Amino acid sequence: MKNNTCSILVALACAGAALFSPAAMAAVHDISSVPTAITLTQGGSLTFGDKFKAGNKDNVFNDHFTFNVAQLSDLSLVLTSTSTSAANGLNLTGFGLYNSANSSLLQGTQMLTGKDDKWSLSFANLSAGSYYVKVSGNLVSGAGATFSGNGNLVSAVPEPATYGMLLGGLGLLGFLARRRQKPA
């Protein structure tokens, strides 16, 4: 019985030490902003990003940027962050495209990490609907930091005017070819 009591006391002492140690008390906070809507037009470009104030060292973020697609389109995005060194600024850890049901459609590709972070994401034949891009990361210093993204949304199906120009160009080529074949 004496051994069980000692074991329990030792276990409680270890648990209390771990619970109240400075490492256990250093909480990581998610400093994400409210989802931000991106204004996006077919055939247009888009920009998005976030700026973090100083004093957020070791905090994480998961920013959501929402947008709507009106018709079948191709989406291409690039996400960047530049710091004075790898020990300053922020570290981008994730970049993905999600639908309105919070299902992941595609995760971005990390191209650079360290002083400069760069991610890319391309999705062909994105159907009409509501979507968001999620940017995740953590702040590696107490200094302020920013990230920015830009991209394009282009229609995957040519517009009727494109077909008209194609037919007009083919008609002009046919007219010129026929004119050259006639003897003078």
Side-chain angles (χ1 to χ4, degrees), residues 58-72:
D58 298 328
N59 288 332
V60 299
F61 59 91
N62 292 291
D63 286 348
H64 294 207
F65 300 93
T66 62
F67 62 96
N68 294 311
V69 176
Q71 66 187 37
L72 191 65

Side-chain angles (χ1 to χ4, degrees), residues 137-162:
N138 61 297
L139 285 96
V140 295
S141 73
T146 62
F147 70 82
S148 63
N150 59 56
N152 292 303
L153 182 72
V154 294
S155 175
V157 179
E159 303 213 2
T162 305

Side-chain angles (χ1 to χ4, degrees), residues 15-26:
L19 183 63
F20 295 108
S21 73
M25 297 182 80

Side-chain angles (χ1 to χ4, degrees), residues 29-175:
H29 299 285
D30 188 341
I31 54 173
S32 297
S33 61
V34 176
T36 305
I38 303 172
T39 303
L40 186 62
T41 57
Q42 289 303 127
S45 62
L46 62 117
T47 59
F48 58 95
D50 203 351
K51 182 177 183 177
F52 301 98
K53 296 178 183 177
N56 284 307
K57 183 179 180 185
D58 298 328
N59 288 332
V60 299
F61 59 91
N62 292 291
D63 286 348
H64 294 207
F65 300 93
T66 62
F67 62 96
N68 294 311
V69 176
Q71 66 187 37
L72 191 65
S73 301
D74 294 339
L75 176 69
S76 61
L77 301 171
V78 175
L79 177 69
T80 59
S81 172
T82 301
S83 306
T84 56
S85 74
N88 289 324
L90 54 87
N91 179 33
L92 298 174
T93 58
F95 184 43
L97 176 65
Y98 296 80
N99 63 17
S100 59
N102 296 322
S103 296
S104 174
L105 301 177
L106 180 68
Q107 291 302 306
T109 302
Q110 186 177 35
M111 301 168 75
L112 291 173
T113 186
K115 179 180 175 270
D116 298 317
D117 283 4
K118 184 174 184 180
W119 290 70
S120 68
L121 186 145
S122 294
F123 195 95
N125 299 321
L126 189 63
S127 60
S130 297
Y131 300 92
Y132 68 90
V133 289
K134 178 180 174 183
V135 179
S136 302
N138 61 297
L139 285 96
V140 295
S141 73
T146 62
F147 70 82
S148 63
N150 59 56
N152 292 303
L153 182 72
V154 294
S155 175
V157 179
E159 303 213 2
T162 305
Y163 287 119
M165 288 188 337
L166 175 66
L167 291 174
L170 288 174
L172 182 61
L173 286 174
F175 173 76

